Amino acid sequence: MSLNVLFSQVAVGVAASGGGGEFEAPRVEEFFWPLVGGNSYWALTRPAIVLLLSVAVIGWFFVTVAGRLTVVPSKRQFVAETAYDFVRNTIARDIIGAKDFKPFLPLLLTVFTMILFNNVMGIFPFVQFPTMSRIAFPIVLTAIIYITYHAVAIKRKHGVGGYLKSLVPPGLPGWLKPIMFVLEFLTYFFIRPLTLALRLFGNMLAGHLMLLVFILGGEYLLLHGSNIGIQASGVLGLGFGVVMTFFELLVQFLQAFIFTLLSALYISDAVSEHH
Amino acid sequence: MTGNITYLGYGLAAIGPGIGVGLIFAAYINGVARQPEARGMLQTIAFTGMALTEALAILGLVFVFVFAG
């Protein structure tokens, strides 16, 4: 696996640095990969391909597993049940509550599996592109969550007026109420969607950029180093790149988990009767 | 190799949220160790707090790109 990472990233590096010369650190521009359509607005990009792949694979996986469920589970059914169980019990039921969690389960499971698959594609051999490192994809996912929790809250709290009134916790002195309202309004309408999208985006971009730095830097030190000491440090850099790849796997799972967890948390705020 | 001083600034700015997130999870682990049955409730509170604290670091990351360009 590490060898594949190496080859594809070195290819990027040689293309970026013009084949030797001075070392150029990886840049954000390297995350734009138009495959069809060039620099126009309708380019078919690499993350779009990865996203379509994820839809096909996840759809195929769950549909075929759900088609033939058995009492003694097959290996694939076991994997599907583990993922479902994790989202249902650890995330949805514990946070939204046993009474209300069922309608939101399909949304949460879809979001979780989709983000997890797309994140793991960041270190998967030959694909190696974290879809969520392009800001558009987290924004769309966040928009779905944003519309969901506001719509649920408006329905549960008897209209827009009731929803806005429920933002202020009860039992506050009168002069504190406007200040709290502004703070809570900003949190619910701006800070929450902003951080939800940017957390996923930032973690995926920074993580992949870090891998690029270690592997490109190691390659540069190894191939262009002037003496044996520098070349040895290049080997060290490449080795650390491999270690960081496994660390990325942990981060990728954690980000999928946190995104789903926070979505559930926001939905639970919307369905709860009190504040 | 050229760079931008804003990257260094972001590194410094990330210290605060880093300490904050550390404190939150230290308190969470303490709480679960003392009272394991409170895990579910504490988890929710811990992740809410982490989301708020981490927001500062994430806004910093965005400002790096905004002001670097």
Side-chain angles (χ1 to χ4, degrees), chain A residues 150-166:
Chain A
H150 280 312
V152 169
I154 288 169
K155 202 176 144 201
R156 287 293 183 102
K157 286 164 184 170
H158 316 294
V160 180
Y163 180 35
L164 291 179
K165 215 155 84 183
S166 76

Side-chain angles (χ1 to χ4, degrees), chain A residues 19-37:
Chain A
E22 205 177 341
F23 176 66
E24 282 192 28
R27 304 159 71 85
V28 181
E29 285 77 35
E30 272 157 50
F31 283 80
F32 185 58
W33 278 75
L35 297 177
V36 180

Side-chain angles (χ1 to χ4, degrees), chain A residues 22-23 25 28 90 94-95 187 191-192 194-195 198-199 201-203 205-206 255 257-258 261-262 265-266, chain B residues 1-2 7 10 25 39-41 43-56 58-59 61-62 65:
Chain A
E22 205 177 341
F23 176 66
V28 181
T90 312
D94 279 6
I95 289 182
T187 305
I191 304 287
R192 278 183 171 186
L194 208 63
T195 52
L198 288 177
R199 175 177 304 109
F201 160 73
N203 273 289
L205 178 80
Q255 287 310 315
F257 173 57
I258 287 179
L261 189 80
L262 288 173
L265 205 63
Y266 299 160
Chain B
M1 182 178 169
T2 55
Y7 297 122
Y10 175 61
F25 278 103
R39 188 195 189 116
M41 206 176 73
Q43 193 179 44
T44 314
I45 300 169
F47 275 104
T48 324
M50 187 216 66
L52 284 173
T53 318
E54 214 189 28
L56 299 171
I58 293 167
L59 291 179
L61 181 72
V62 175
F65 295 120

Side-chain angles (χ1 to χ4, degrees), chain A residues 78-122:
Chain A
F78 177 72
V79 172
E81 279 181 359
T82 307
Y84 176 74
D85 216 49
F86 179 69
V87 176
R88 182 185 191 271
N89 294 344
T90 312
I91 299 175
R93 199 179 58 191
D94 279 6
I95 289 182
I96 302 179
K99 194 160 63 77
D100 290 312
F101 77 97
K102 281 209 171 124
F104 306 106
L105 204 50
L107 174 70
L108 292 176
L109 183 65
T110 310
V111 164
F112 177 74
T113 47
M114 188 162 180
I115 294 177
L116 185 63
F117 188 92
N118 276 298
N119 283 354
V120 171
M121 281 299 121

